């Protein structure tokens, strides 16, 4: 069906397993599949579920919005092409967790319980829409979680709760359907694999009131403690088996980035001379690269496979980004032409992140239709399409993401208790606005 085309560089379809280990607990490696997407531990994406208002609204920092948009694009590009060097060029997940931590610190000016409730409410409905589609596809293709050998009996059924509230890793079949079907038989691994981020985000949200209290009492120990924890659980000094170990490693690797968001909001970074913070951050990043060079994973310099390198590189990278952080109410200069796309991607960050892997796989059967065209029957034409296959996937996935934003993106508005919008890119309504009266934000 797919003419044997392979995307990315990964050798096993298990993007959900942290740092080279599968979530589902299945034994042994999974054979390479025609369009396996690379593991993104690190997928990287992950987006902060709080939607962005239109540009110019008080309190919105367009620099941070721009960083979130860049991170989302990098997630998609990484999952499509599998270029390991992208994890060094721009550590998306560290950036995303830092931005989410900054927003969380700002929100915690309100009572903690109401903030947590609001964050969870914004997160769950988009997840439910995604889960309903993915689970229906799994069940239609014959998957029975109670009989899955990787999950077993009652635990497989209990694990389905993670498709409703992502407190742990959701179960999914390693193979479902047929290799000759519309999607290759490992599609469920790729589709459900992105849910690791929602689990990590939820854990950070629940822990934030305590973390922020600790940060205000002892800022530097709280900021650096996750790096120390990563050195323990992410290097094999202490091994925590199963999903608990995966979750603790995630929390440790990105914990310092989340707390860096606190430091950005509280103004701690601005209290440190720029040359000091940048110099120290550079040293931490240099250590991360040195550690990675001596602990290369199956994909070489992919930091997603090297927890301590990922944690230290992301930490230093985020420090520099936030230290040089300008406060933009509007995107300046040539960046202004991307204003609407930045607004749209921030308003639909959860939708884009949840669906992008499945949509990347959906490009394959669509492009394969081109092989049936009359003018594509020569060997030269087939070779030309084979050579540009991934480029065509890249070109096609963005319209598919746009269609998904139109189809289910409005669920994010319902989750935020806003009027549903099909394409919230910040365009001003042409309807006349009242000239007097206070506006309630």
């Amino acid at each position: 069906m797919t003419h044997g085309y392979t995307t990315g560089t990964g050798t096993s379809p298990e993007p959900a397993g942290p740092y080279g280990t599968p979530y589902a607990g299945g034994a042994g490696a999974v054979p390479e599949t025609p369009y396996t997407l690379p593991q993104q531990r690190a997928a990287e994406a992950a987006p902060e579920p709080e939607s962005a208002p239109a540009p110019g609204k008080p309190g919105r920092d367009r620099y941070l919005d721009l960083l979130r948009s860049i991170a989302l694009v990098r997630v998609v590009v990484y999952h499509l092409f599998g270029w390991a060097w992208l994890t060094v060029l721009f550590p998306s997940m560290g950036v995303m967790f830092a931005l989410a931590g900054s927003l969380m610190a700002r929100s915690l000016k309100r009572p903690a319980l109401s903030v947590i409730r609001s964050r969870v409410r914004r997160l769950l409905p988009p997840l439910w829409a995604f889960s309903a589609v993915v689970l229906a596809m799994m069940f239609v293709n014959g998957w029975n979680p109670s009989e899955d050998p990787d999950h077993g009996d009652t635990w497989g059924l209990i694990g389905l709760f993670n498709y409703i509230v992502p407190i742990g890793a959701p179960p999914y079949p390693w193979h479902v359907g047929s290799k000759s079907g519309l999607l290759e038989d490992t599609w469920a691994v790729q589709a459900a694999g992105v849910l690791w981020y929602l689990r990590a985000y939820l854990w950070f949200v629940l822990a934030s009131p305590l973390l922020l209290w600790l940060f205000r009492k002892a800022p530097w120990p709280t900021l650096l403690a996750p790096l120390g924890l990563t050195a323990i659980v992410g290097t094999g000094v202490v091994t925590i088996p199963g999903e608990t170990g995966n979750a603790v490693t995630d929390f440790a690797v990105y914990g310092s980035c989340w707390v860096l968001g606190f430091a950005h909001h509280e103004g701690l970074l601005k209290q440190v001379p720029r040359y000091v913070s940048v110099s120290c951050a550079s040293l931490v990043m240099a250590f991360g690269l040195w550690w990675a060079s001596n602990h290369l994973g199956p994909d070489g310099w992919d930091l997603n496979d090297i927890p301590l390198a990922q944690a230290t590189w992301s930490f230093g990278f985020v420090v520099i980004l936030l230290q040089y952080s300008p406060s933009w109410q509007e995107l300046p200069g040539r960046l202004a032409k991307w204003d609407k796309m930045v607004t749209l991607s921030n308003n639909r960050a959860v939708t884009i992140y949840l669906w992008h892997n499945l949509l990347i796989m959906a490009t394959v059967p669509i492009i394969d239709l081109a092989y049936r065209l009359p003018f594509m029957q020569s060997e030269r034409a087939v070779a030309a399409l084979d050579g540009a296959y991934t480029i065509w996937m890249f070109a096609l996935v963005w319209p598919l993401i746009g269609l998904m934003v139109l189809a289910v993106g409005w669920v994010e508005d319902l989750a935020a208790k806003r009027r549903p919008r099909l394409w919230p890119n910040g365009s001003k309504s042409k309807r006349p606005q009242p000239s007097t009266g206070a506006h309630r934000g």
Side-chain angles (χ1 to χ4, degrees):
M1 180 205 75
T2 62
H3 298 270
Y5 192 80
T6 304
T7 67
T9 60
T11 58
S12 63
E14 46 198 52
Y19 319 108
T21 60
Y23 269 172
V30 181
E32 185 170 353
T33 59
Y35 46 96
T36 295
L37 305 180
Q39 175 177 332
Q40 180 64 336
R41 287 308 299 164
E44 291 236 46
E48 151 70 9
E50 183 170 50
S51 300
K57 198 167 185 176
R60 197 72 201 184
D61 191 326
R62 300 298 282 167
Y63 173 73
L64 302 185
D65 289 346
L66 177 64
L67 291 181
R68 185 177 294 107
S69 297
I70 293 173
L72 283 171
V73 171
R74 211 279 280 161
V75 166
V76 177
V77 172
Y78 174 90
H79 277 156
L80 180 56
F81 293 99
W83 293 328
W85 53 268
L86 284 174
T87 64
V88 178
L89 178 66
F90 194 87
S92 287
M93 288 313 302
V95 172
M96 294 307 304
F97 280 118
L99 301 181
S102 179
L103 286 173
M104 191 68 185
R106 183 179 69 178
S107 297
L108 283 173
K109 295 177 181 178
R110 308 195 309 270
L113 187 60
S114 68
V115 173
I116 292 174
R117 185 167 56 245
S118 173
R119 285 292 188 275
V120 173
R121 188 190 68 240
R122 289 171 180 267
L123 185 66
L124 295 186
L127 169 64
W128 295 340
F130 174 80
S131 298
V133 173
V134 170
L135 285 175
M137 292 172 63
M138 292 180 189
F139 294 149
V140 167
N141 280 276
W143 180 56
N144 185 341
S146 65
E147 298 177 358
D148 192 313
D150 293 325
H151 305 285
D153 301 332
T154 306
W155 286 111
L157 293 173
I158 294 175
L160 292 177
F161 180 75
N162 290 300
Y163 284 100
I164 302 174
V165 180
I167 57 175
Y172 45 78
W174 289 107
H175 301 277
V176 65
S178 169
K179 288 187 177 182
S180 60
L182 194 61
L183 293 177
E184 213 278 335
D185 67 344
T186 59
W187 65 266
V189 181
Q190 304 300 331
V194 300
L195 298 181
W196 77 269
Y197 167 75
L198 273 67
R199 175 184 67 182
Y201 176 83
L202 182 59
W203 279 38
F204 279 125
V205 166
L206 295 176
S208 282
L210 175 60
L211 286 175
L212 185 58
W213 180 82
L214 291 172
F215 174 79
R216 288 169 174 168
K217 293 291 184 180
W220 294 109
T222 306
L223 183 60
L224 299 176
L227 294 179
L229 181 59
T230 304
I232 296 173
V233 302
T235 61
V237 174
V238 173
T239 301
I240 304 175
E243 282 308 312
T244 301
N246 295 335
V248 171
T249 301
D250 293 339
F251 195 89
V253 168
Y254 299 110
S256 285
C257 290
W258 186 274
V259 180
L260 272 174
F262 294 172
H264 174 258
H265 178 265
E266 299 284 302
L268 178 66
L269 292 180
K270 297 300 182 182
Q271 297 175 15
V272 181
R274 181 173 291 176
Y275 74 92
V276 173
S277 62
V278 172
S279 298
C280 292
S282 299
L283 290 175
V284 172
M285 295 169 70
F287 170 81
L289 292 182
W290 172 80
W291 183 267
S293 69
N294 291 283
H295 299 82
L296 297 179
D299 295 322
W301 281 87
D302 194 328
L303 300 186
N304 300 325
D305 300 325
I306 316 169
L308 186 57
Q310 177 73 282
T312 50
W313 179 262
S314 297
F315 177 84
F317 196 94
V318 169
V319 166
I320 294 173
L321 284 180
L322 295 182
Q323 184 64 271
Y324 282 91
S325 173
S327 294
W328 291 340
Q329 292 299 310
E330 296 180 356
L331 294 177
R334 295 181 179 180
L335 292 175
K337 65 181 180 181
W338 298 100
D339 187 85
K340 291 184 178 180
M341 293 309 299
V342 168
T343 300
L344 178 66
S345 63
N346 276 264
N347 276 313
R348 294 295 179 256
V350 180
T351 299
I352 294 170
Y353 178 76
L354 280 174
W355 293 91
H356 78 274
N357 254 8
L358 192 57
L359 296 176
I360 287 174
M361 289 182 286
T363 64
V364 173
I366 295 174
I367 296 173
D368 280 352
L369 295 175
Y371 288 97
R372 303 179 184 179
L373 297 174
F375 57 84
M376 290 295 300
Q377 302 310 306
S378 67
E379 292 185 3
R380 184 176 180 179
V382 170
L385 183 54
D386 285 345
Y389 204 102
T390 311
I391 302 300
W392 282 108
M393 293 176 68
F394 177 78
L396 185 57
V397 73
W398 300 108
L400 292 181
I401 288 175
L403 290 175
M404 191 56 65
V405 165
L406 290 172
V408 300
W410 49 269
V411 176
E412 292 194 53
D413 291 327
L414 294 182
K417 295 185 176 181
R418 288 194 300 263
R419 177 179 55 84
R421 300 164 294 172
L422 290 179
W423 197 255
N425 63 353
S427 296
K428 295 181 179 179
S429 173
K430 295 181 179 180
R431 187 170 49 189
Q433 300 296 321
S435 58
T436 60
H439 173 72
R440 295 195 175 198

